[in-house]
Amino acid sequence: MLVINPYFTNGTNHPFDLVEWERRDAVIQGEGSVVFEQKGVEFPKFWSQLATNVVAQKYFRGALGTPEREYSLRQLIDRVTKTIADEGEKRGYFDHNSAVVFERELAHLILHQKMAFNSPVWFNVGVESAPQCSACFINSVEDTMESILTLAKTEGMLFKYGSGTGTNLSPLRSSREPLKGGGSASGPVSFMRGFDAFAGVIKSGGKTRRAAKMVILNCDHPDIRQFITCKAHEEKKAHALIDAGYDGSFNGEAYNSVFFQNSNNSVRVTDEFMNAVCEGGEYSLRGRDGSVIETVNARDIWREIAGAAWQCGDPGVQFDSVCNEWHTSPVSGRINASNPCAEYMYLDDSACNLASLNLRKFTLPGSRSLDVRSFTEAVDLTILAQEIIVGFSSYPTPRIWDNSHRFRPLGLGYANLGALLMSWGIPYDSDEGRNYAAAITALMTGCAYRMSAEIARACGGPCAGFAENREPFLAVIRKHYQACDELIGQNEIKRAALWQWDMAQMIGLIHGFRNSQTTVLAPTGTIGFMMDCDTTGVEPDIALVKYKRLVGGGMLKITNQTVTEALRVLGYTDAQREKIVEFIENNDTIEGSAIAPEHLPVFDCAFRAEKGTRSIQPIGHIKMMAAVQPFLSGAISKTVNMPSDATVEDIAEIYMLAWKLRLKAVAIYRDGCKRIQPLSTS
């Protein structure tokens, strides 16, 4: 069993005793916002109104107006942390005294907005007897009607409880191949229409958020061209409907009248295909029996991918060869697919629960450095919590249940990297910014695998799938260590990371690892709001001032809260900072304010402000992804933002660079390519 030491609470009775709680008069109005009126409800005063609103709307359980309805963060946090701690004690991870300390430490992380679990945990833990806790699922499909319809059912149940799913549809025979009983097959794109329709009517977690799904097709599938262009064709139809006067909002008639709006589409490409693109060579589209259906020019397919992405943002590209080079469990099967946001890449019929750390909460005051001790302790606590969650969660199919228990993959990540760099006065698109990001990511994953080995040593051994994959598993750990050893600069964080990787290798060599994967970089959308993050995942800020369209209607203005601190670090006086911030509020841009030109790169964002000229160039996004990818078990959920005037050739070049820099996946969004988008600069 593990002994849990009090890191943050110092043995006090409860983490809530460590903070000053504020009595506020609040009442939850419908499923909307928190309005301060005549009912006493406790909220910590350091949570923003926005964070409180998000939590109340999304995560409070129980029907409105009933005694079971949650009304405070204390209730929400207690429900989740007590359930996990009780399950940990019941399953032998620690004794009762350690369980009490563990619950307090976990509550401290959440209360102080240092960490948040993925949404299904908040939806279901402590509510359902066997809660669905994983946000990310990968489902397989076979070329039978029974399997296709079973996939539709499985996806529906995952959407119901707030999770997302991805599937590679390449096993389905193409529309160019015959059926045994005569006639031609429908092909994967036809079945995608049915899957999309189901996703569109099942809201995620029963809330207003849309269902999330990923559809993947291999580049050598005979229907690949139909797949590449299917979403772009539907986007053109939506534009025509909007031009004809139909409602073009998210839930409006225009987009509800076309297909494929509930999925992300990605083409799976191999190194062989990419080399053919570079050389202008040909490659073969093959049927299910391996026979050649057609020989095509690789560059023609590549241009069609870029052209469709220019039109609607899809398809993205997943680099199959790279994914499987870093696979810890290749003896058990290959990696064919990902979850909807492409950060979780692992075996078919598997699941991953996510959690993210808020990097801004782990900085040392007055320095450009990470509080390594508190950060690694937070990693330890969160990995242990996620490991416990694996055991008491429910899973939608027997195969996913089996793989979840055999391999126990986890997805720890972080949020607020963009805001962290800005607060230190470091441009996101700079070597210094990328070096910091790489070192922090190396530290996180090294610590996560070291903790996984510690759990294996103390709590029943490695995951069941470790033994058959021992040699390739340890080889991947060595690759991570080597990448860490080659880091440039950031000596303090690098030294800490190398120590974690040393310990991970030493303990893992003897005791194995409890978890086949430990880290990803997720989009952290809703939980980013919960932690009051200025930026999500590994992303820079979209804009210093942005406007978010809400799925249920309405518009929310969001202003970056890190600017003031960045200006202070850069040496501006109180009066100067106040004047610059006021200028941003009035003009939605920092350009034209009284800021020194050499400091402008610190405040560059993904989108160009309506009244500005600057933005982070697409290559800056790719370079940041390449800096952190070698230190992740999984991949990166990130959008490479392209300006509205980007060309098809520009997109093709970005996709090509992503492959050359050995990313696992890449997706782009050209500003304005859709008539409606969730975030905009005006």
Side-chain angles (χ1 to χ4, degrees):
M1 289 194 295
L2 293 162
V3 176
I4 311 299
N5 296 313
Y7 301 131
F8 302 110
T9 60
N10 298 317
T12 55
N13 292 330
H14 199 278
F16 295 109
D17 297 334
L18 299 181
V19 299
E20 179 185 352
W21 282 76
E22 183 178 37
R23 294 292 298 188
R24 292 180 175 176
D25 292 328
V27 60
I28 310 302
Q29 291 197 338
E31 288 297 301
S33 62
V34 176
V35 180
F36 296 116
E37 289 184 349
Q38 298 302 316
K39 182 178 178 182
V41 177
E42 293 179 327
F43 294 107
K45 65 180 181 180
F46 45 82
W47 281 53
S48 73
Q49 178 76 53
L50 175 60
T52 307
N53 285 349
V54 168
V55 169
Q57 181 186 16
K58 293 282 189 178
Y59 300 142
F60 282 5
R61 299 291 89 183
L64 289 167
T66 67
E68 294 79 22
R69 175 68 178 182
E70 290 176 339
Y71 61 84
S72 75
L73 291 170
R74 185 191 294 262
Q75 288 177 303
L76 174 69
I77 294 171
D78 275 354
R79 166 166 63 82
V80 171
T81 58
K82 287 182 182 299
T83 300
I84 297 173
D86 289 347
E87 290 289 342
E89 181 181 357
K90 184 195 311 181
R91 295 168 188 275
Y93 288 90
F94 34 64
D95 61 18
H96 177 70
N97 289 336
S98 286
V100 172
V101 175
F102 174 76
E103 185 274 326
R104 294 171 182 168
E105 301 293 351
L106 202 57
H108 171 94
L109 289 177
I110 298 165
L111 177 65
H112 288 267
Q113 299 176 299
K114 296 180 178 182
M115 183 274 289
F117 295 110
N118 58 205
S119 289
V121 167
W122 302 111
F123 287 145
N124 304 320
V125 168
V127 177
E128 306 287 336
S129 57
Q132 182 175 296
C133 300
S134 296
C136 303
F137 288 81
I138 299 171
N139 288 286
S140 66
V141 67
E142 299 171 4
D143 191 42
T144 67
M145 187 58 67
E146 180 182 8
S147 178
I148 292 167
L149 295 179
T150 298
L151 175 61
K153 176 184 176 182
T154 301
E155 287 189 345
M157 296 307 294
L158 291 173
F159 299 149
K160 176 183 177 182
Y161 290 102
S163 303
T165 176
T167 302
N168 189 323
L169 298 183
S170 298
L172 302 185
R173 76 187 66 192
S174 73
S175 59
R176 304 165 70 178
E177 297 174 81
L179 296 170
K180 286 183 180 179
S184 298
S186 298
V189 176
S190 292
F191 286 111
M192 283 166 57
R193 297 177 186 272
F195 295 143
D196 181 72
F198 274 115
V201 297
I202 303 174
K203 294 176 181 177
S204 181
K207 296 290 183 176
T208 58
R209 188 175 72 175
R210 286 186 173 189
K213 63 188 269 84
M214 170 70 79
V215 182
I216 299 162
L217 204 68
N218 293 344
C219 61
D220 63 352
H221 193 281
D223 284 349
I224 189 62
R225 281 186 148 138
Q226 186 182 355
F227 176 81
I228 289 168
T229 59
C230 67
K231 198 166 180 179
H233 288 329
E234 296 298 306
E235 185 66 31
K236 291 177 182 178
K237 293 179 186 177
H239 289 194
L241 289 169
I242 294 168
D243 291 340
Y246 289 92
D247 181 3
S249 64
F250 279 120
N251 293 319
E253 196 167 1
Y255 279 106
N256 278 339
S257 299
V258 300
F259 285 102
F260 313 130
Q261 299 306 301
N262 300 291
S263 67
N264 296 322
N265 294 356
S266 287
V267 177
R268 193 92 173 178
V269 301
T270 61
D271 282 355
E272 180 185 8
F273 170 82
M274 294 303 297
N275 286 324
V277 173
C278 293
E279 297 164 6
E282 295 183 332
Y283 81 108
S284 298
L285 306 181
R286 297 182 179 273
R288 290 182 68 250
D289 60 359
S291 62
V292 176
I293 303 293
E294 183 184 0
T295 299
V296 296
N297 185 280
R299 284 185 181 172
D300 291 343
I301 301 296
W302 188 243
R303 183 173 175 81
E304 288 180 22
I305 292 171
W310 181 92
Q311 179 69 42
C312 67
D314 279 278
V317 180
Q318 296 189 2
F319 301 106
D320 182 87
S321 302
V322 184
C323 296
N324 284 283
E325 284 172 8
W326 290 85
H327 187 14
T328 59
S329 312
V331 177
S332 302
R334 68 189 319 281
I335 296 175
N336 298 309
S338 75
N339 73 313
C341 299
E343 74 271 19
Y344 174 57
M345 294 187 170
Y346 196 54
L347 297 170
D348 285 347
D349 298 304
S350 65
C352 182
N353 67 78
L354 308 180
S356 292
L357 302 168
N358 180 356
L359 293 181
R360 289 274 279 124
K361 297 291 184 175
F362 298 100
T363 58
L364 292 170
S367 71
R368 289 183 175 183
S369 188
L370 202 70
D371 185 343
V372 171
R373 180 175 181 269
S374 68
F375 181 73
T376 54
E377 288 164 351
V379 172
D380 285 356
L381 285 166
T382 308
I383 286 291
L384 178 55
Q386 291 177 279
E387 157 62 21
I388 294 168
I389 286 170
V390 169
F392 72 84
S393 295
S394 67
Y395 301 93
T397 70
R399 290 178 68 178
I400 295 178
W401 189 96
D402 182 60
N403 280 335
S404 295
H405 287 82
R406 278 179 51 75
F407 299 98
R408 312 183 78 82
L410 307 179
L412 177 64
Y414 54 68
N416 236 3
L417 174 69
L420 177 76
L421 296 176
M422 186 183 292
S423 72
W424 287 346
I426 300 172
Y428 182 91
D429 185 9
S430 67
D431 289 340
E432 187 178 16
R434 289 185 282 271
N435 290 341
Y436 267 114
I440 291 169
T441 312
L443 175 62
M444 177 181 71
T445 302
C447 183
Y449 271 122
R450 192 264 308 151
M451 185 60 179
S452 180
E454 295 271 15
I455 296 171
R457 177 168 64 180
C459 303
C463 63
F466 176 76
E468 67 189 68
N469 293 283
R470 177 183 176 86
E471 292 309 314
F473 198 123
L474 294 176
V476 169
I477 297 297
R478 288 193 295 271
K479 286 180 68 173
H480 285 302
Y481 176 87
Q482 183 176 353
C484 183
D485 192 39
E486 294 170 357
L487 280 173
I488 299 173
Q490 312 317 317
N491 292 332
E492 182 182 356
I493 301 175
K494 177 181 175 178
R495 280 196 300 270
L498 284 171
W499 184 88
Q500 295 288 344
W501 283 110
D502 273 335
M503 295 301 293
Q505 290 188 99
M506 186 185 306
I507 302 170
L509 186 66
I510 300 170
H511 299 281
F513 293 89
R514 186 71 170 172
N515 312 98
S516 56
Q517 292 195 348
T518 60
T519 58
V520 302
L521 285 181
T524 65
T526 302
I527 65 171
F529 283 125
M530 183 181 184
M531 295 188 290
D532 279 317
C533 295
D534 267 336
T535 62
T536 58
V538 73
E539 299 276 9
D541 204 351
I542 290 288
L544 297 182
V545 178
K546 54 239 176 237
Y547 297 85
K548 180 176 176 60
R549 293 182 185 275
L550 304 178
V551 174
M555 181 81 77
L556 179 68
K557 181 178 180 179
I558 305 171
T559 303
N560 186 294
Q561 300 300 305
T562 310
V563 172
T564 300
E565 184 172 353
L567 291 171
R568 180 185 58 77
V569 169
L570 293 171
Y572 291 86
T573 65
D574 290 346
Q576 289 171 323
R577 294 199 301 270
E578 184 177 343
K579 186 175 181 180
I580 293 171
V581 170
E582 182 181 2
F583 182 92
I584 295 171
E585 286 280 356
N586 293 334
N587 296 276
D588 292 358
T589 181
I590 198 169
E591 294 178 65
S593 69
I595 187 171
E598 63 269 23
H599 293 154
L600 281 173
V602 173
F603 303 95
D604 283 347
C605 296
F607 283 175
R608 183 173 60 234
E610 187 176 28
K611 299 178 182 178
T613 61
R614 299 181 60 90
S615 65
I616 295 170
Q617 296 304 300
I619 192 173
H621 295 269
I622 295 294
K623 285 182 176 180
M624 179 59 81
M625 296 173 73
V628 301
Q629 181 61 80
F631 309 110
L632 295 166
S633 299
I636 306 165
S637 174
K638 179 172 179 3
T639 301
V640 177
N641 299 98
M642 309 282 289
S644 59
D645 57 359
T647 65
V648 172
E649 288 73 21
D650 292 336
I651 293 171
E653 288 177 7
I654 284 297
Y655 279 175
M656 178 61 71
L657 180 63
W659 172 66
K660 290 180 177 179
L661 293 180
R662 308 309 280 170
L663 299 185
K664 293 181 179 180
V666 64
I668 67 98
Y669 182 78
R670 184 176 64 85
D671 190 19
C673 70
K674 297 182 77 70
R675 289 293 182 88
I676 190 76
Q677 57 193 43
L679 287 172
S680 60
T681 57
S682 64

